[in-house]
Amino acid sequence: MIKVFRLLFLILCLKGVLFATPFLIENLDKNKINVVAFVTSWCPVCQKTNEYLLSLSEKDSNVFVTLLFVDEEIPSTIFKSKNLELISISLNDAKRFGVGESVPYILVLDKELKVVKKYHTFNEDLLFRLINNLKNGLYENGTLPPEQRIDLWQKNRF
């Protein structure tokens, strides 16, 4: 009887992992800057990341946030919204995107769905600066694209 109970308990614990939704970069919003974060609900750094990204998705309509909960179900306290996608993903699927043994793991993609930056931890200031630069059409380090820099150089020179 105890073995049956343990088996049922294990199945209930793993049901979110067994039926995890696949994640495809192609399904992201191409008209927005996308932030994809691989997180958990129990990790203190992930909790801070989740709070920041939830707030960002509510405040900034130019940013689309996808929270991928690795090897766990989506917490019942977080709800999907217009600029927020919530997905449960298995660790094996997360590894295809570069997730190692630790989370949070954050990918920032531009409007062309090209990965601009990968963060292996959460730093609010760096993430905020990067998103602002991308929204303003700048590279991650705050410079203009080369074709615009050349035009400005020629304009100022002659």
Side-chain angles (χ1 to χ4, degrees):
M1 180 69 172
I2 292 177
K3 288 182 181 181
V4 172
F5 178 73
R6 285 183 181 170
L7 181 62
L8 286 174
F9 180 74
L10 181 62
I11 290 171
L12 287 174
C13 289
L14 295 177
K15 79 174 187 174
V17 176
L18 294 174
F19 301 107
T21 307
F23 170 69
L24 301 171
I25 288 183
E26 295 80 27
N27 293 343
L28 297 174
D29 193 334
K30 288 187 177 183
N31 299 319
K32 299 181 181 187
I33 295 163
N34 288 273
V35 178
V36 177
F38 295 84
V39 294
T40 64
S41 61
W42 51 265
C43 158
V45 178
C46 291
Q47 290 171 350
K48 202 173 181 183
T49 304
N50 295 347
E51 289 172 17
Y52 176 77
L53 293 176
L54 288 170
S55 173
L56 180 67
S57 72
E58 292 170 2
K59 293 178 183 174
D60 195 338
S61 61
N62 295 316
V63 178
F64 188 83
V65 175
T66 304
L67 292 177
L68 297 164
F69 288 89
V70 180
D71 272 350
E72 69 175 311
E73 288 188 40
I74 299 167
S76 60
T77 55
I78 303 174
F79 301 101
K80 183 179 173 181
S81 68
K82 181 181 175 188
N83 289 327
L84 177 67
E85 180 72 35
L86 304 169
I87 298 174
S88 178
I89 189 170
S90 70
L91 181 59
N92 285 336
D93 288 339
K95 285 181 179 180
R96 292 183 318 151
F97 295 95
V99 176
E101 297 299 318
S102 66
V103 288
Y105 180 73
I106 303 168
L107 301 174
V108 180
L109 295 91
D110 62 12
K111 293 180 181 181
E112 298 171 4
L113 298 183
K114 294 179 184 170
V115 176
V116 175
K117 193 77 173 175
K118 297 176 186 179
Y119 293 105
H120 294 278
T121 188
F122 173 67
N123 185 317
E124 184 177 332
D125 294 332
L126 290 176
L127 192 56
F128 178 78
R129 267 189 270 146
L130 175 60
I131 290 169
N132 276 339
N133 285 340
L134 292 173
K135 283 193 314 191
N136 293 320
L138 303 174
Y139 282 156
E140 67 176 275
N141 62 2
T143 61
L144 290 167
E147 60 276 1
Q148 291 181 9
R149 280 187 265 152
I150 291 170
D151 289 347
L152 287 175
W153 176 78
Q154 291 174 344
K155 181 179 175 183
N156 293 333
R157 185 147 192 247
F158 299 108

